Amino acid sequence: VLIAAGGISFVFRDKFVGGKAGLLVESRPVATVYVEGEQVGTTPYEVERSAGEISLRLIPIATDGPLAPWNAKVVLTEGITTAVRRDFGATDEESSGEIMSFEKILPRGAELVAVSTPDAAALFIDGVNKGFTPKKIESVAVGGHMLTFSHPGFLDREIVVKTEAGYKLVVTSFLAK
């Protein structure tokens, strides 16, 4: 089973002022990035922009044959860098990736929300089965964790994340067949 592993550090930036948010997009292979229908560059792509929902389109720059483009709505949160990663396959079903962002919460602890496509994937945190997606864990230790999403007929996906006190980490994982 192919396991994709990688970590993205979220960046809390004091320089984000006036409703600004960050967007980091990574892909394998390199892809052309479109935001709100406008071509803005290629991956890896990082920008600061206004917070709010955006339309994101990635078109892979394929060298070995056609790969499936990807479209998503992504919510950018003020003061937070939202990370998007996509591993392209020949079809959408053979592609995988994730969208990760934080939401401010009132308690000083950390929370985790894990969502997957397909849903009802088994969720493991640091090797411990936590049930099936979608899953909200209201109390998770602050620090680094390995999330594993597993579903019959799909490739497992491992994601290295870091939770922060006072924030809910929202991870949406897309599994490949």
Side-chain angles (χ1 to χ4, degrees):
V1 174
L2 173 68
I3 298 177
I8 293 179
S9 297
F10 289 93
V11 181
F12 297 92
R13 297 186 181 171
D14 292 333
K15 72 176 189 171
F16 289 146
V17 293
K20 294 294 184 179
L23 172 65
L24 171 65
V25 183
E26 299 176 335
S27 69
R28 281 188 297 196
V30 171
T32 303
V33 179
Y34 293 83
V35 175
E36 299 299 331
E38 179 183 340
Q39 183 177 343
V40 294
T42 58
T43 57
Y45 175 76
E46 189 168 11
V47 69
E48 180 182 321
R49 56 178 298 123
S50 297
E53 184 178 84
I54 63 164
S55 171
L56 179 66
R57 179 171 175 81
L58 302 178
I59 299 179
I61 300 170
T63 58
D64 296 343
L67 298 174
W70 183 66
N71 300 297
K73 294 286 185 184
V74 177
V75 177
L76 303 180
T77 304
E78 182 177 346
I80 305 294
T81 295
T82 296
V84 177
R85 182 183 300 125
R86 189 72 175 170
D87 293 327
F88 292 99
T91 66
D92 197 44
E93 286 184 335
E94 295 172 352
S95 301
S96 61
E98 53 267 353
I99 300 171
M100 297 183 283
S101 189
F102 281 102
E103 295 175 11
K104 184 79 173 149
I105 57 175
L106 293 177
R108 296 198 47 87
E111 294 182 3
L112 172 73
V113 173
V115 180
S116 68
T117 300
D119 64 357
L123 172 66
F124 296 84
I125 300 178
D126 300 325
V128 177
N129 188 333
K130 296 295 184 176
F132 297 94
T133 60
K135 183 72 173 184
K136 179 178 182 181
I137 300 172
E138 293 185 354
S139 180
V140 63
V142 172
H145 299 282
M146 173 67 76
L147 304 183
T148 304
F149 295 83
S150 182
H151 194 288
F154 291 81
L155 301 175
D156 287 354
R157 183 118 184 128
E158 289 187 344
I159 307 167
V160 177
V161 299
K162 182 179 179 188
T163 56
E164 298 285 342
Y167 289 88
K168 172 174 43 177
L169 172 60
V170 179
V171 178
T172 303
S173 181
F174 303 91
L175 304 180
K177 280 198 171 230

